[in-house]
Amino acid sequence: MACYTANWNPLGRAYYRKLELYSMSWGLQEADLRGSLLAAAPYGGPIALLRPEKAAGGRPQLDIYSASGQRLGGAAWKSGRVVQLGWTAAEDLLCVQDDGTVLVHDLSARYRRHFSMGSEVKQNQLLQARLFHTERGTGLAILTGACRFTLTTSVDELRLRRMPDTPLRAAPACWAVIYRERQLVILFAAGPDLYLLDSTTCTAVTPPGLSPQAGNFLAMSVSFTHKYLALFTDTGRVWMGASSLKEKLCERSTGQRAPPSNVAWCLKPSSPHRALLVLWDRSLELLDTSNDSVSYVLDEESHLVAELDGVRIISTSTHEFMHEIPRASEDIFRIASMAPGALLLEAQKEYEKECQKADEYLREIKEQGLLAEAVEQCIEAAGYEYEPDAQKSLLRAASFGKCFIDKFPADGFVKMCHDLRILNAVRDYQIGIPLSFLQYKQLTVEILLDRLVLRRLYPLALKICEYLRLSEFQGVSRILAHWACYKVQQKEKSDEEVAQAINQKLGDTPGISYSEIASKAFDCGRSELAIKLLEYEPRSGEQVPLLLKMKRSKLALHKAIESGDTDLVYTVVSYLKNELNRGEFFMTLQNQPVALSLYRQLCKYQEVETLKDLYNQDDDHQELGNFHIRSSYATENGIEERVRALQNAVDEFNKAKNDFAAKATEDQIKLLRIQRRLQDELDKTYLDFSLHETVHQLILDGMHKKAEQLYKEFKIPDKMFWWLKISALADREDWEEMEKFAKSKKSPIGYFPFVEICVKSHNRFEAKKYISRVNPEQRVKAFLLVGDLDQAAEAAIEHKNDSEMNLVLSKCTPSTDHNIVDKINRAKSQVLKK
């Protein structure tokens, strides 16, 4: 800690340091990087290296390393010439070829998929490409041999956009993609001229304040957040300003006319300081906007990788990080600093030495009322440190200071301890993810876990989940599912062993989908393993689709029936119908009664003829008879078709030995024929009526003899016929015919229905004609129906029936029917006396 500031370099009003992250273990020589394509993913991501003619057979060799130089995977390159390498936000490697084909590889250099940047590229070849990152994902822009630009905003959702024509006759000296105001533009240079290309136009632009003697543009660099732009010219001058080209930060000379091999912005979010890192071979210059600079001499050729809060410098032997010293660290560690954090750190050190100076430092901080600020400074500075010893020293100071503050919130301290333990774990040499604190916060722990899973570092990912107490769905379940998907790819073990190992590890962990793991196994060509894994899947709705995909339709049907989900059964049955021939389909259903029953229900509404075939196959004559009965009611059928269908039903009922159904159907045939005869005679259709409706309609139409003919022929019960006739006569208001009918013979239904039907037809006069013939026990109700309360009361008193007298009283109104009320009350009193 005594020489903590030894590698600090002042630049303007800020300090910068070049911190060694790792000594690279990849065993490469400087010649291996020369002429090779190198791409490093942001946020401490992996490094891809494509070396020409390094594999067996003289083929290029593609290797992928961690940031510490640990080899993650590699393969001989067997495709076309690669123009550009780059990483997506999900850490997929994009290899852009000169024919416009983009091959996507994973962290192990295994091929995943490919896509094309359009047909024009195949004709004119691809000259250059640029990858860029926005909130929409990772985008790709290309320049073709026809000097045309094409881009896509997302390589995952490919939508190619061909940009407008440009004045270029040859490839530009430099160009870049800029994302500003939610729009993508391309800035390119042609000699001393700059052009801005958007989706509609190509416009010449001039950076504000650019010197007329600036010369031709050789290189340009856009900052990590696309906020700033740097332009380098052949006169050795650098222009720095806003990427919107509306603000100039500075223009200065570098003293170097040769084009730089790499240019990158070295910025820190929320910091007012801006610096640019320029690399020429083994010379590195750090420039700020106030004409200050810091020079570094490198031992080897290096590559610059821009990050959110600095620049990574990669060479064959080392991996370094150039960044601005955070204000909290500067205040604490700057020589002769009297900041509260610096005093608190000294106080803690003196306390460990049991020296009284600790009390003096504490008193000084407390007198200024800055103890809480001192604690916060130490906590914040600890987050920016890479060395665990420095972190511990600062956290001990913060913990020491907290003891002298009442009710100091400990959340920030605890959270920082958690974050640092995670950062130290992933920065380890064997892991090789050198995230800074700011990068970690921007990346989030969820994405960090995803990246550990991609590297198959499952134990560490699980440890982090347990340490942070993440929900199982967010953490453990997701990681175990990834582990299981990787496990099924290990073909050296048997299906039984893999299935048991996965189930033993996963068990019933919430959020785990065995069907997804089984699907991965099937994709890897392990169908039997997939079926074994599906046995552990509790949701049939997840089992069945995969079984169908695997052509295990009979097993899928069995699982669907077990689930009790009719929709699922219908899905499988529909699949089987399309998959099997008709005979096999029916035989399969014969072995599954539940599926057969559900399919019959479906056929009743959608496939009527198929239903008939099913009944024929089963020799189910009863259901065939029912089928012919239903088909006879089809609206398009004429009477002959209906009769034919009903006759088929009779035949099937006879085969089924159902005499009752056969007789009823024969009666229906007879009725149809009579109705047809009536239609021919009367020019009126009765075909849509039942037997009783036909009789009723004939009476309404005045065809009494025809109605009586049906009554006798079909042996309609007397009571039913009388009801039908008097209701029909009342409907046609033929009171004279009703009276004749009432006198023709004794009514089998009595005469109260005559009164009731007349009253319903609003004819109380006719109703009164039948009261005298009504049975005595119904006479009171009959008088009440016609509204004759006086006669109803007399009848009730005559019968000496208490319930009838109460019924009449309930219909009386005391103000108008008081005489009747008195009469009934006197009668009730006399009955009680007796």
Side-chain angles (χ1 to χ4, degrees):
M1 297 290 290
C3 300
Y4 183 81
T5 61
N7 61 349
W8 287 19
N9 292 288
L11 184 69
R13 297 184 178 181
Y15 290 88
Y16 289 81
R17 70 174 169 183
K18 187 157 66 76
L19 177 72
E20 183 174 327
L21 299 174
Y22 303 109
S23 293
M24 300 299 280
S25 63
W26 50 12
L28 299 178
Q29 302 299 319
E30 190 171 352
D32 292 324
L33 295 186
R34 193 176 298 119
S36 301
L37 289 178
L38 184 146
Y43 295 99
I47 303 168
L49 184 65
L50 183 64
R51 292 178 289 167
E53 300 178 2
K54 289 296 180 179
R59 292 182 179 274
Q61 174 71 23
L62 175 64
D63 290 304
I64 297 177
Y65 301 90
S66 71
S68 61
Q70 298 280 328
R71 191 171 186 270
L72 302 178
W77 187 256
K78 299 179 182 180
S79 191
R81 187 176 73 88
V82 178
V83 174
Q84 183 74 31
L85 295 177
W87 292 92
T88 68
E91 291 196 330
D92 284 331
L93 178 64
L94 301 184
C95 304
V96 186
Q97 297 185 159
D98 60 358
D99 61 354
T101 303
V102 182
L103 284 73
V104 184
H105 294 256
D106 65 10
L107 276 174
S108 300
R110 288 183 300 187
Y111 170 81
R112 292 187 59 188
R113 63 185 178 92
H114 74 276
F115 60 89
S116 174
M117 290 300 289
S119 57
E120 180 189 345
V121 187
K122 293 181 179 179
Q123 299 172 359
N124 299 300
Q125 293 292 302
L126 187 150
L127 299 181
Q128 298 172 8
R130 300 284 188 274
L131 273 84
F132 55 90
H133 302 280
T134 68
E135 67 262 20
R136 300 177 189 174
T138 301
L140 176 63
I142 62 168
L143 174 67
T144 69
C147 297
R148 296 292 303 268
F149 289 97
T150 300
L151 63 79
T152 177
T153 55
S154 173
V155 295
D156 295 318
E157 299 176 4
L158 196 65
R159 293 181 182 176
L160 297 178
R161 185 197 307 171
R162 185 176 176 183
M163 305 300 280
D165 291 335
T166 67
L168 291 172
R169 294 293 176 265
C174 54
W175 61 283
V177 181
I178 301 174
Y179 182 69
R180 64 185 193 188
E181 299 175 357
R182 301 183 66 83
Q183 288 186 341
L184 286 168
V185 295
I186 294 175
L187 183 70
F188 64 90
D193 301 318
L194 276 180
Y195 295 90
L196 196 64
L197 185 65
D198 60 21
S199 58
T200 57
T201 58
C202 180
T203 309
V205 293
T206 302
L210 181 67
S211 170
Q213 294 79 32
N216 297 329
F217 296 103
L218 297 181
M220 63 177 63
S221 176
V222 180
S223 66
F224 190 85
T225 58
H226 290 252
K227 188 176 180 180
Y228 298 106
L229 171 70
L231 301 169
F232 185 88
T233 69
D234 60 358
T235 59
R237 302 191 68 80
V238 173
W239 181 92
M240 290 185 274
S243 62
S244 62
L245 296 175
K246 295 180 180 178
E247 178 188 359
K248 174 185 175 181
L249 297 177
C250 80
E251 182 181 340
R252 55 177 295 172
S253 174
T254 63
Q256 295 268 11
R257 290 178 173 268
S261 56
N262 215 329
V263 181
W265 284 90
C266 187
L267 302 171
K268 177 178 174 292
S270 72
S271 172
H273 308 118
R274 303 160 185 115
L276 188 71
L277 204 58
V278 187
L279 176 66
W280 292 272
D281 295 329
R282 301 188 182 188
S283 174
L284 187 66
E285 291 282 336
L286 183 63
L287 314 174
D288 77 342
T289 56
S290 61
N291 286 327
D292 283 345
S293 64
V294 178
S295 298
Y296 299 88
V297 177
L298 305 179
D299 297 329
E300 303 164 304
E301 290 188 9
S302 303
H303 292 261
L304 305 184
V305 182
E307 289 283 4
L308 174 70
D309 55 347
V311 179
R312 289 157 62 193
I313 306 168
I314 301 171
S315 68
T316 54
S317 61
T318 61
H319 191 161
E320 299 173 300
F321 184 54
M322 176 76 74
H323 69 108
E324 178 187 340
I325 300 298
R327 186 55 186 261
S329 299
E330 182 183 338
D331 286 343
I332 292 174
F333 294 109
R334 190 178 64 243
I335 296 173
S337 173
M338 296 299 291
L343 294 176
L344 180 60
L345 181 62
E346 288 300 318
Q348 192 274 332
K349 290 178 180 178
E350 296 299 330
Y351 175 76
E352 286 185 345
K353 297 176 185 177
E354 299 181 357
C355 179
Q356 66 178 8
K357 285 186 178 180
D359 182 61
E360 294 176 7
Y361 288 134
L362 272 176
R363 286 180 182 277
E364 184 174 349
I365 301 171
K366 292 179 75 174
E367 286 173 0
Q368 299 175 27
L370 298 177
L371 187 54
E373 181 182 338
V375 173
E376 294 289 354
Q377 272 188 344
C378 289
I379 293 173
E380 182 184 353
Y384 297 125
E385 294 304 315
Y386 280 78
E387 289 296 329
D389 289 341
Q391 297 168 1
K392 291 176 184 177
S393 178
L394 289 164
L395 289 175
R396 278 195 294 266
S399 179
F400 177 69
K402 282 196 305 108
C403 298
F404 302 96
I405 304 175
D406 291 335
K407 298 180 180 180
F408 183 84
D411 294 349
F413 180 84
V414 173
K415 186 71 170 63
M416 182 59 72
C417 290
H418 287 171
D419 291 340
L420 286 176
R421 285 199 68 179
I422 293 170
L423 284 171
N424 289 338
V426 299
R427 289 170 182 167
D428 183 80
Y429 186 84
Q430 297 296 326
I431 308 301
I433 305 179
L435 282 174
S436 68
F437 180 75
L438 291 176
Q439 292 169 23
Y440 169 68
K441 287 302 180 182
Q442 179 74 14
L443 193 66
T444 72
V445 69
E446 289 78 15
I447 296 178
L448 176 58
L449 289 173
D450 288 339
R451 297 196 168 188
L452 292 174
V453 166
L454 287 175
R455 290 162 172 77
R456 299 171 189 160
L457 299 170
Y458 305 111
L460 177 58
L462 289 171
K463 286 282 187 183
I464 291 174
C465 291
E466 293 169 2
Y467 180 65
L468 295 179
R469 298 179 183 177
L470 297 178
S471 67
E472 290 188 329
F473 181 77
Q474 276 185 305
V476 174
S477 298
R478 190 160 54 95
I479 294 164
L480 288 176
H482 279 286
W483 168 82
C485 289
Y486 168 66
K487 191 75 174 175
V488 300
Q489 300 175 46
Q490 297 178 346
K491 297 186 178 181
E492 63 274 7
K493 294 187 177 181
S494 68
D495 295 340
E496 187 68 33
E497 288 178 318
V498 173
Q500 287 181 358
I502 290 174
N503 180 247
Q504 185 177 359
K505 190 77 173 178
L506 272 57
D508 297 325
T509 305
I512 291 291
S513 173
Y514 279 96
S515 61
E516 291 182 5
I517 303 167
S519 179
K520 184 67 175 179
F522 177 67
D523 292 340
C524 294
R526 305 186 71 173
S527 300
E528 292 303 319
L529 174 58
I531 292 173
K532 290 180 184 296
L533 290 170
L534 282 178
E535 292 297 326
Y536 302 120
E537 175 58 64
R539 298 166 295 176
S540 298
E542 298 293 330
Q543 292 177 318
V544 170
L546 181 58
L547 287 171
L548 292 178
K549 180 181 176 183
M550 295 167 61
K551 307 295 184 184
R552 301 297 180 99
S553 50
K554 293 181 181 179
L555 181 57
L557 181 59
H558 177 70
K559 293 291 184 183
I561 292 170
E562 278 187 347
S563 73
D565 187 340
T566 54
D567 290 338
L568 204 57
V569 177
Y570 280 132
T571 300
V572 179
V573 168
S574 298
Y575 177 86
L576 286 171
K577 183 184 174 186
N578 296 327
E579 188 73 13
L580 306 176
N581 62 49
R582 197 175 184 84
E584 289 178 331
F585 175 61
F586 285 163
M587 288 303 297
T588 301
L589 292 185
Q590 286 295 331
N591 299 325
Q592 299 289 350
V594 175
L596 179 59
S597 176
L598 288 171
Y599 184 59
R600 284 174 176 172
Q601 292 294 326
L602 178 68
C603 290
K604 284 181 182 179
Y605 301 101
Q606 297 183 11
E607 302 175 21
V608 178
E609 288 303 316
T610 303
L611 186 63
K612 180 182 175 183
D613 294 340
L614 284 171
Y615 292 146
N616 273 322
Q617 180 172 318
D618 296 343
D619 291 332
D620 193 341
H621 299 294
Q622 178 64 40
E623 287 298 337
L624 275 170
N626 294 336
F627 171 81
H628 289 303
I629 291 288
R630 286 193 298 270
S631 63
S632 72
Y633 287 102
T635 54
E636 66 272 9
N637 285 347
I639 191 167
E640 295 303 326
E641 288 83 358
R642 292 180 67 179
V643 169
R644 194 179 300 114
L646 290 172
Q647 189 58 57
N648 290 335
V650 171
D651 296 340
E652 296 297 337
F653 287 139
N654 286 330
K655 292 177 183 178
K657 297 181 181 180
N658 189 338
D659 297 334
F660 176 79
K663 179 64 172 61
T665 308
E666 287 173 347
D667 287 345
Q668 184 65 26
I669 294 172
K670 190 187 297 183
L671 176 62
L672 278 174
R673 286 172 176 161
I674 291 172
Q675 288 175 333
R676 178 60 183 269
R677 191 170 67 247
L678 289 172
Q679 179 179 346
D680 295 340
E681 293 174 4
L682 307 175
D683 194 26
K684 181 180 175 82
T685 182
Y686 294 86
L687 294 179
D688 293 330
F689 296 147
S690 66
L691 176 60
H692 294 163
E693 289 172 336
T694 303
V695 172
H696 184 272
Q697 190 62 41
L698 285 169
I699 296 170
L700 275 177
D701 294 341
M703 306 297 174
H704 301 287
K705 290 184 179 180
K706 296 286 185 184
E708 289 181 6
Q709 181 182 350
L710 288 179
Y711 153 62
K712 293 174 182 177
E713 187 170 349
F714 285 95
K715 298 179 181 179
I716 297 174
D718 290 344
K719 289 184 178 181
M720 177 59 69
F721 181 70
W722 275 67
W723 266 108
L724 290 171
K725 187 159 185 175
I726 64 175
S727 62
L729 290 172
D731 288 345
R732 63 178 293 175
E733 298 183 352
D734 192 347
W735 311 114
E736 185 178 350
E737 184 65 31
M738 183 184 288
E739 192 171 357
K740 286 179 183 179
F741 180 60
K743 293 177 179 179
S744 64
K745 61 175 76 173
K746 185 178 179 181
S747 170
I749 59 174
Y751 291 93
F752 183 76
F754 284 80
V755 177
E756 194 174 27
I757 285 175
C758 289
V759 171
K760 285 182 179 179
S761 300
H762 307 291
N763 195 333
R764 294 187 177 185
F765 177 76
E766 290 293 332
K768 290 179 180 180
K769 292 180 181 180
Y770 303 99
I771 292 179
S772 60
R773 303 175 69 178
V774 172
N775 293 335
E777 60 270 15
Q778 293 182 304
R779 198 165 290 165
V780 172
K781 291 182 180 179
F783 279 123
L784 290 174
L785 278 176
V786 299
D788 193 340
L789 291 174
D790 192 43
Q791 290 296 325
E794 290 293 339
I797 292 169
E798 183 180 346
H799 297 156
K800 297 180 182 179
N801 188 314
D802 189 60
S803 62
E804 288 182 347
M805 287 188 281
N806 288 335
L807 179 61
V808 176
L809 281 174
S810 68
K811 302 293 182 181
C812 293
T813 304
S815 59
T816 57
D817 303 317
H818 58 275
N819 292 333
I820 298 173
V821 173
D822 292 342
K823 187 192 299 184
I824 293 174
N825 287 333
R826 285 195 301 273
K828 291 179 71 175
S829 299
Q830 291 175 3
V831 171
L832 289 172
K833 287 178 182 179
K834 292 181 181 181

